[in-house]
Amino acid sequence: MYKQNGETVKKRVFIGLLSFSILLIIGMIFSGVLIYYNRFGNWYRYILLAVIILLSLFILIVSIGLAGVVMTLWHVKTFFGLEKLMNTSLNILFPLALTLGKVFHIPKDIIKSSYIEVNNKLLQSRNYDLTPNDILILAPHCLQKWDCPYKVTTDVSNCRHCGRCDIDKLLKISSDYGVNLTVVTGGTLARKKVMDIKPKAVVAIACERDLTEGILDTNPLPVMGVLNIRPEGPCKNTKVDLEKVSKAIEFFLNRKE
Protein backbone atom coordinates (compact mmCIF):
# COMPACT_ATOMS: atom_id res chain seq x y z
CA MET A 1 0.00 0.00 0.00
CA TYR A 2 2.37 2.74 1.27
CA LYS A 3 6.04 2.12 0.48
CA GLN A 4 8.70 3.08 3.00
CA ASN A 5 11.49 3.59 0.48
CA GLY A 6 12.21 7.31 0.20
CA GLU A 7 12.79 6.92 -3.54
CA THR A 8 9.16 5.91 -4.12
CA VAL A 9 7.49 8.35 -1.73
CA LYS A 10 5.37 10.77 -3.69
CA LYS A 11 6.01 14.43 -3.00
CA ARG A 12 2.32 15.06 -3.55
CA VAL A 13 1.43 13.46 -0.19
CA PHE A 14 3.01 16.31 1.77
CA ILE A 15 2.09 19.02 -0.73
CA GLY A 16 -1.50 17.77 -0.80
CA LEU A 17 -1.77 17.94 2.98
CA LEU A 18 -0.30 21.45 3.00
CA SER A 19 -2.80 22.56 0.35
CA PHE A 20 -5.66 21.09 2.36
CA SER A 21 -4.36 22.94 5.42
CA ILE A 22 -4.62 26.23 3.56
CA LEU A 23 -8.15 25.40 2.40
CA LEU A 24 -9.05 24.64 6.00
CA ILE A 25 -7.80 28.03 7.16
CA ILE A 26 -9.66 29.74 4.30
CA GLY A 27 -12.81 27.97 5.49
CA MET A 28 -12.23 29.38 8.97
CA ILE A 29 -11.87 32.88 7.54
CA PHE A 30 -15.05 32.47 5.51
CA SER A 31 -16.90 31.29 8.62
CA GLY A 32 -15.61 34.34 10.47
CA VAL A 33 -16.92 36.63 7.74
CA LEU A 34 -20.36 35.03 7.99
CA ILE A 35 -20.34 35.49 11.76
CA TYR A 36 -19.19 39.09 11.34
CA TYR A 37 -22.27 40.00 9.34
CA ASN A 38 -24.62 38.64 11.99
CA ARG A 39 -25.96 40.99 14.67
CA PHE A 40 -23.32 41.26 17.34
CA GLY A 41 -22.17 44.18 19.42
CA ASN A 42 -19.57 46.48 17.88
CA TRP A 43 -16.72 45.25 20.07
CA TYR A 44 -17.27 41.66 19.01
CA ARG A 45 -17.39 42.71 15.38
CA TYR A 46 -14.16 44.72 15.60
CA ILE A 47 -12.31 41.89 17.34
CA LEU A 48 -13.61 39.39 14.81
CA LEU A 49 -12.65 41.70 11.96
CA ALA A 50 -9.09 42.00 13.32
CA VAL A 51 -8.83 38.20 13.57
CA ILE A 52 -10.10 37.81 9.99
CA ILE A 53 -7.56 40.35 8.71
CA LEU A 54 -4.67 38.66 10.53
CA LEU A 55 -5.72 35.21 9.30
CA SER A 56 -6.08 36.56 5.76
CA LEU A 57 -2.56 38.02 5.83
CA PHE A 58 -1.23 34.77 7.26
CA ILE A 59 -2.89 32.65 4.59
CA LEU A 60 -1.70 35.01 1.84
CA ILE A 61 1.93 34.81 2.96
CA VAL A 62 1.86 31.04 3.49
CA SER A 63 0.08 30.51 0.14
CA ILE A 64 2.79 32.47 -1.68
CA GLY A 65 5.42 30.30 0.03
CA LEU A 66 3.58 27.08 -0.86
CA ALA A 67 3.10 28.28 -4.45
CA GLY A 68 6.85 28.85 -4.60
CA VAL A 69 7.44 25.29 -3.38
CA VAL A 70 5.11 23.81 -6.01
CA MET A 71 6.61 25.91 -8.83
CA THR A 72 10.12 25.00 -7.72
CA LEU A 73 9.28 21.27 -7.71
CA TRP A 74 7.54 21.60 -11.06
CA HIS A 75 10.27 23.54 -12.83
CA VAL A 76 13.18 22.05 -10.82
CA LYS A 77 14.69 25.49 -10.36
CA THR A 78 14.66 27.93 -7.51
CA PHE A 79 12.72 31.17 -7.44
CA PHE A 80 15.11 33.73 -5.99
CA GLY A 81 13.70 35.78 -3.15
CA LEU A 82 11.19 33.12 -2.10
CA GLU A 83 13.57 30.64 -0.43
CA LYS A 84 13.05 31.92 3.14
CA LEU A 85 9.32 32.26 2.62
CA MET A 86 9.11 28.71 1.26
CA ASN A 87 11.05 27.31 4.23
CA THR A 88 8.89 29.26 6.68
CA SER A 89 5.68 28.04 5.03
CA LEU A 90 6.81 24.41 5.18
CA ASN A 91 7.84 24.72 8.83
CA ILE A 92 4.58 26.40 9.85
CA LEU A 93 2.31 23.95 8.02
CA PHE A 94 4.22 20.75 8.82
CA PRO A 95 2.53 20.16 12.23
CA LEU A 96 -0.86 20.79 10.64
CA ALA A 97 -0.03 18.30 7.88
CA LEU A 98 0.73 15.67 10.54
CA THR A 99 -2.60 16.39 12.25
CA LEU A 100 -4.50 16.07 8.98
CA GLY A 101 -2.62 12.86 8.24
CA LYS A 102 -3.94 11.44 11.50
CA VAL A 103 -7.47 12.41 10.47
CA PHE A 104 -7.06 10.70 7.09
CA HIS A 105 -5.23 7.70 8.60
CA ILE A 106 -1.99 8.39 6.73
CA PRO A 107 0.98 6.99 8.70
CA LYS A 108 3.34 9.59 10.14
CA ASP A 109 6.34 7.98 8.48
CA ILE A 110 4.72 8.42 5.06
CA ILE A 111 4.15 12.14 5.64
CA LYS A 112 7.65 12.60 7.04
CA SER A 113 9.21 10.68 4.15
CA SER A 114 7.29 12.89 1.75
CA TYR A 115 8.50 16.00 3.60
CA ILE A 116 12.11 14.77 3.34
CA GLU A 117 11.66 14.16 -0.38
CA VAL A 118 10.24 17.67 -0.86
CA ASN A 119 13.13 19.13 1.16
CA ASN A 120 15.69 17.26 -0.96
CA LYS A 121 14.09 18.36 -4.23
CA LEU A 122 14.03 21.98 -3.11
CA LEU A 123 17.75 21.77 -2.29
CA GLN A 124 18.47 20.21 -5.68
CA SER A 125 16.86 23.21 -7.38
CA ARG A 126 19.60 25.43 -5.98
CA ASN A 127 23.28 25.73 -6.81
CA TYR A 128 26.01 24.93 -4.29
CA ASP A 129 29.76 25.02 -4.78
CA LEU A 130 31.20 24.12 -1.39
CA THR A 131 34.59 22.88 -0.33
CA PRO A 132 34.82 19.35 1.15
CA ASN A 133 35.53 20.73 4.63
CA ASP A 134 32.21 22.61 4.51
CA ILE A 135 30.24 19.35 4.29
CA LEU A 136 29.32 17.06 7.18
CA ILE A 137 28.05 13.49 6.95
CA LEU A 138 25.87 12.94 10.02
CA ALA A 139 25.33 9.23 10.64
CA PRO A 140 23.34 7.40 13.35
CA HIS A 141 25.04 4.96 15.73
CA CYS A 142 22.58 2.21 14.73
CA LEU A 143 24.59 1.76 11.51
CA GLN A 144 27.27 0.09 13.61
CA LYS A 145 26.84 -3.58 14.49
CA TRP A 146 25.14 -3.66 17.86
CA ASP A 147 27.69 -6.07 19.34
CA CYS A 148 30.79 -4.22 18.13
CA PRO A 149 33.00 -3.33 21.14
CA TYR A 150 34.70 -0.41 19.32
CA LYS A 151 32.16 2.35 19.73
CA VAL A 152 32.46 5.08 17.11
CA THR A 153 30.17 7.66 18.69
CA THR A 154 33.01 9.08 20.78
CA ASP A 155 35.52 8.90 17.92
CA VAL A 156 34.73 7.55 14.45
CA SER A 157 38.39 6.57 14.03
CA ASN A 158 37.76 3.77 16.55
CA CYS A 159 36.38 1.77 13.63
CA ARG A 160 38.54 -1.30 12.95
CA HIS A 161 37.48 -1.54 9.27
CA CYS A 162 36.21 -5.09 9.60
CA GLY A 163 33.55 -4.44 6.95
CA ARG A 164 30.67 -5.85 8.99
CA CYS A 165 28.71 -2.59 8.84
CA ASP A 166 28.45 0.55 6.72
CA ILE A 167 30.54 2.71 9.07
CA ASP A 168 33.68 1.43 7.33
CA LYS A 169 32.26 2.35 3.92
CA LEU A 170 31.20 5.80 5.12
CA LEU A 171 34.73 6.37 6.41
CA LYS A 172 36.04 5.54 2.94
CA ILE A 173 33.57 7.97 1.34
CA SER A 174 34.57 10.63 3.86
CA SER A 175 38.24 10.04 3.09
CA ASP A 176 37.77 9.93 -0.70
CA TYR A 177 35.87 13.22 -0.81
CA GLY A 178 37.64 14.87 2.11
CA VAL A 179 34.40 15.65 3.95
CA ASN A 180 33.67 15.46 7.68
CA LEU A 181 32.00 12.42 9.21
CA THR A 182 30.52 12.03 12.66
CA VAL A 183 28.38 9.32 14.25
CA VAL A 184 25.80 10.37 16.85
CA THR A 185 23.45 8.69 19.30
CA GLY A 186 20.53 11.10 18.89
CA GLY A 187 19.22 14.54 18.07
CA THR A 188 20.85 16.37 20.98
CA LEU A 189 24.34 15.16 20.11
CA ALA A 190 23.65 15.76 16.40
CA ARG A 191 22.81 19.40 17.07
CA LYS A 192 25.94 19.79 19.21
CA LYS A 193 28.14 18.33 16.46
CA VAL A 194 26.61 20.71 13.91
CA MET A 195 27.29 23.66 16.25
CA ASP A 196 30.88 22.51 16.88
CA ILE A 197 31.83 21.70 13.27
CA LYS A 198 29.78 24.55 11.74
CA PRO A 199 29.30 22.97 8.29
CA LYS A 200 27.67 24.83 5.41
CA ALA A 201 25.75 21.72 4.37
CA VAL A 202 24.85 18.38 5.95
CA VAL A 203 24.21 14.94 4.48
CA ALA A 204 22.12 13.37 7.22
CA ILE A 205 21.37 9.64 7.52
CA ALA A 206 18.53 8.68 9.85
CA CYS A 207 14.97 7.43 10.17
CA GLU A 208 11.97 9.55 9.19
CA ARG A 209 11.46 11.02 12.66
CA ASP A 210 15.07 12.03 13.30
CA LEU A 211 15.53 13.40 9.77
CA THR A 212 12.46 15.63 9.88
CA GLU A 213 13.35 16.91 13.34
CA GLY A 214 16.93 17.57 12.23
CA ILE A 215 15.89 19.40 9.07
CA LEU A 216 13.44 21.59 11.00
CA ASP A 217 15.85 22.26 13.88
CA THR A 218 18.81 23.29 11.71
CA ASN A 219 16.85 25.38 9.21
CA PRO A 220 18.03 27.31 7.16
CA LEU A 221 21.18 25.12 7.06
CA PRO A 222 20.80 22.89 3.97
CA VAL A 223 20.33 19.26 5.02
CA MET A 224 20.08 16.52 2.40
CA GLY A 225 18.23 13.64 4.01
CA VAL A 226 19.04 9.96 3.31
CA LEU A 227 16.68 7.47 4.93
CA ASN A 228 18.39 4.52 6.55
CA ILE A 229 17.48 0.92 5.69
CA ARG A 230 16.15 -1.24 8.54
CA PRO A 231 16.37 -4.94 7.70
CA GLU A 232 16.23 -5.85 11.41
CA GLY A 233 13.81 -3.13 12.48
CA PRO A 234 14.53 0.35 13.86
CA CYS A 235 17.68 1.27 15.79
CA LYS A 236 19.53 -2.01 15.23
CA ASN A 237 22.06 -2.95 12.54
CA THR A 238 20.65 -0.48 10.05
CA LYS A 239 22.19 0.22 6.65
CA VAL A 240 22.36 3.09 4.17
CA ASP A 241 22.34 3.52 0.40
CA LEU A 242 25.96 4.62 -0.05
CA GLU A 243 25.34 5.78 -3.61
CA LYS A 244 22.80 8.33 -2.34
CA VAL A 245 25.33 9.61 0.18
CA SER A 246 27.97 10.02 -2.53
CA LYS A 247 25.54 11.77 -4.88
CA ALA A 248 24.49 14.17 -2.12
CA ILE A 249 28.14 15.06 -1.46
CA GLU A 250 28.80 15.55 -5.18
CA PHE A 251 25.76 17.82 -5.42
CA PHE A 252 27.04 20.12 -2.66
CA LEU A 253 30.50 20.04 -4.26
CA ASN A 254 28.85 21.00 -7.58
CA ARG A 255 30.36 18.03 -9.39
CA LYS A 256 28.35 17.28 -12.50
CA GLU A 257 28.08 13.76 -13.89
Side-chain angles (χ1 to χ4, degrees), residues 104-155:
F104 293 117
H105 304 292
I106 302 175
K108 283 185 178 180
D109 282 352
I110 295 298
I111 300 171
K112 291 177 180 180
S113 295
S114 187
Y115 169 77
I116 294 162
E117 185 73 8
V118 168
N119 170 78
N120 289 351
K121 292 299 180 184
L122 289 178
L123 286 181
Q124 290 166 5
S125 70
R126 302 166 190 168
N127 291 317
Y128 294 91
D129 191 8
L130 305 179
T131 64
N133 196 48
D134 289 330
I135 300 170
L136 170 65
I137 302 174
L138 202 57
H141 71 102
C142 58
L143 287 175
Q144 185 178 31
K145 282 293 182 182
W146 70 274
D147 58 349
C148 181
Y150 306 104
K151 297 305 176 185
V152 294
T153 49
T154 53
D155 186 354

Side-chain angles (χ1 to χ4, degrees), residues 18 22 57-69 71-72 78-93 122 126 219-220:
L18 294 189
I22 290 177
L57 287 173
F58 170 79
I59 199 66
L60 176 63
I61 293 170
V62 171
S63 295
I64 292 172
L66 182 57
V69 171
M71 288 189 295
T72 299
T78 191
F79 288 81
F80 295 105
L82 288 180
E83 291 94 339
K84 289 184 178 179
L85 187 55
M86 288 190 290
N87 287 337
T88 301
S89 298
L90 290 178
N91 293 347
I92 289 174
L93 292 174
L122 289 178
R126 302 166 190 168
N219 189 273

